[in-house]
Amino acid sequence: MEPAEVVMFILVLVIIVVSLLSNILVVVCFLYSHEIRKQVPGLFNLNLTFCNLLLTVANMPLTLAALANRDQPGGDAFCQAAGFLDTFLSTNSMLSVAALSVDRWIAVVFPLRYRSKMRHRDAAMVLGFTWFHAMSFSMAATCLSWLGYHRLYAACTLAVPVDQASNWTQFVVFTVLFHTLTFVLSFVVLCVTYLKVLKVARFHCRRIDIITMQTLVLLVDIHPSVRQRCLDQQRRRRQRATRKISTFIGTFMICFAPYVITRILELIPAVPISPHWGAVSKCLVYSKAACDPFAYSLLRHQYRKTYGDIVNRLLKRSRSLNESGRGGEGRGGEERGGALPGQ
């Protein structure tokens, strides 16, 4: 392999390890915590985690094999099945992220009506739409035989066979429509919902800042260090919401936009695309599966508390087993020591 291919091979391998461990931890927290299971966002997170895990197990190793062998992994039928999974899981994960943003928008903008607007039944209907949407495009690509190994991306994904060059116009229309109704739609939903959330968050921050400043004015004898600490908390509070929303939208764009733009540019024959860049753009799509657990689950207080409880329980159990083992050894020694005089 060339040095660039070695770097991409190592990158995909690291993504597989991180994605596998982090998404499994999300599933463990979901199964362990009743509080997480009864919350509506937990269903969206579980669906997103399911897509990420299946993509990690089913598709990423095939890209590793393609990078190592510089050839299609498996036969045509096997690669078409892998391409179906790649299309379905990528679409489902994009729409799941959009669904999470809608859930946050309802929770922040309509907090008093959130329980009536977003119930488990409503979440199941939204997830049903994401599955139907993803399944429709995946099945259409399968029926039209537009799934197979694509050398540019070193992956089994959307591709037009050589013997179907006459259907190029149909493939162009399908590709543009597919990415418009998945990536562009999800991006617009993310921007609209999170910008509204940011607007409400800044409004509440301004109210809190006004109350804080009024309190600081009344407290004439307050120490300057305490006053400075209150002002620092105000600044961090204003930055926190912006940082979170920038993370959600930024990771979505960084991971998916290069690949989608490359797929669109690929439709223009006059535009040359480097094979290394195609593989890098596909690796960025894979990296979203490793970023999602941290962006949407593991860095939240409830998940941190849950896996902290799991670790503490495991440590206590191992400590109790060690103590019982040492106690058994001590009793055995006493019995052996007490038997010596009788001999």
Side-chain angles (χ1 to χ4, degrees):
M1 290 191 295
E2 298 179 1
E5 293 175 344
V6 173
V7 172
M8 285 185 286
F9 184 90
I10 296 174
L11 178 62
V12 175
L13 189 61
V14 171
I15 291 172
I16 290 175
V17 174
V18 175
S19 177
L20 196 61
L21 295 178
S22 57
N23 283 286
I24 288 176
L25 184 56
V26 173
V27 175
V28 171
C29 291
F30 182 85
L31 296 176
Y32 181 86
S33 175
H34 175 70
E35 292 296 324
I36 294 177
R37 290 198 304 273
K38 75 177 184 180
Q39 293 177 356
V40 173
L43 295 178
F44 298 131
N45 279 324
L46 185 64
N47 185 70
L48 182 61
T49 303
F50 164 78
C51 294
N52 291 335
L53 272 177
L54 198 53
L55 188 69
T56 303
V57 174
N59 290 89
M60 294 187 196
L62 298 181
T63 299
L64 277 181
L67 289 173
N69 301 325
R70 295 184 179 181
D71 198 4
Q72 173 179 325
D76 292 338
F78 177 79
C79 202
Q80 288 176 3
F84 175 87
L85 279 178
D86 179 80
T87 306
F88 173 79
L89 296 174
S90 299
T91 305
N92 203 337
S93 62
M94 288 187 196
L95 296 176
S96 297
V97 169
L100 279 168
S101 69
V102 173
D103 176 81
R104 287 298 87 201
W105 170 64
I106 296 175
V108 173
V109 180
F110 308 102
L112 300 179
R113 291 182 287 175
Y114 174 74
R115 293 186 179 276
S116 61
K117 285 180 172 292
M118 187 59 71
R119 296 165 293 182
H120 283 82
R121 183 181 64 185
D122 302 319
M125 292 176 60
V126 173
L127 290 179
F129 168 76
T130 63
W131 277 66
F132 174 77
H133 185 285
M135 188 67 69
S136 299
F137 280 99
S138 303
M139 289 298 298
T142 303
C143 294
L144 294 170
S145 300
W146 288 345
L147 294 173
Y149 179 69
H150 204 308
R151 292 186 178 276
L152 180 63
Y153 307 103
C156 298
T157 182
L158 282 174
V160 178
V162 179
D163 57 352
Q164 290 193 18
S166 59
N167 297 331
W168 178 253
T169 304
Q170 297 178 5
F171 180 77
V172 170
V173 173
F174 176 85
T175 303
V176 172
L177 184 64
F178 168 63
H179 290 300
T180 302
L181 295 180
T182 52
F183 171 77
V184 177
L185 176 63
S186 300
F187 176 66
V188 170
V189 171
L190 281 172
C191 291
V192 171
T193 53
Y194 279 133
L195 289 179
K196 288 184 178 295
V197 169
L198 182 61
K199 181 179 179 180
V200 174
R202 285 180 173 176
F203 172 74
H204 288 300
C205 286
R206 282 196 298 268
R207 291 182 58 187
I208 296 173
D209 292 346
I210 291 172
I211 296 173
T212 303
M213 293 304 298
Q214 290 175 348
T215 305
L216 293 177
V217 170
L218 294 175
L219 297 175
V220 180
D221 298 331
I222 190 172
H223 195 273
S225 62
V226 178
R227 182 187 299 270
Q228 185 61 37
R229 192 180 305 119
C230 294
L231 295 176
D232 292 340
Q233 289 179 354
Q234 289 182 2
R235 186 174 61 256
R236 287 195 297 269
R237 193 183 302 115
R238 289 192 298 267
Q239 294 174 351
R240 190 179 301 121
T242 305
R243 186 170 59 250
K244 287 183 178 180
I245 291 174
S246 300
T247 300
F248 296 148
I249 299 178
T251 54
F252 183 86
M253 287 298 295
I254 292 173
C255 294
F256 285 121
Y259 177 74
V260 174
I261 294 173
T262 305
R263 296 299 315 227
I264 299 300
L265 292 177
E266 180 194 358
L267 303 177
I268 306 174
V271 178
I273 300 175
S274 170
H276 296 320
W277 169 248
V280 168
S281 66
K282 193 62 179 177
C283 290
L284 288 175
V285 174
Y286 289 155
S287 67
K288 189 69 167 63
C291 296
D292 285 341
F294 299 98
Y296 294 99
S297 302
L298 296 180
L299 296 182
R300 291 175 54 195
H301 172 73
Q302 197 166 28
Y303 280 85
R304 293 203 306 267
K305 181 178 181 300
T306 300
Y307 59 72
D309 293 341
I310 295 173
V311 171
N312 291 332
R313 173 171 290 191
L314 293 176
L315 291 177
K316 289 179 181 178
R317 182 174 298 178
S318 62
R319 190 181 300 116
S320 63
L321 290 175
N322 291 333
E323 290 176 354
S324 63
R326 287 196 297 270
E329 291 176 0
R331 288 192 299 272
E334 292 177 358
E335 292 175 357
R336 289 192 298 271
L340 289 175
Q343 294 177 347

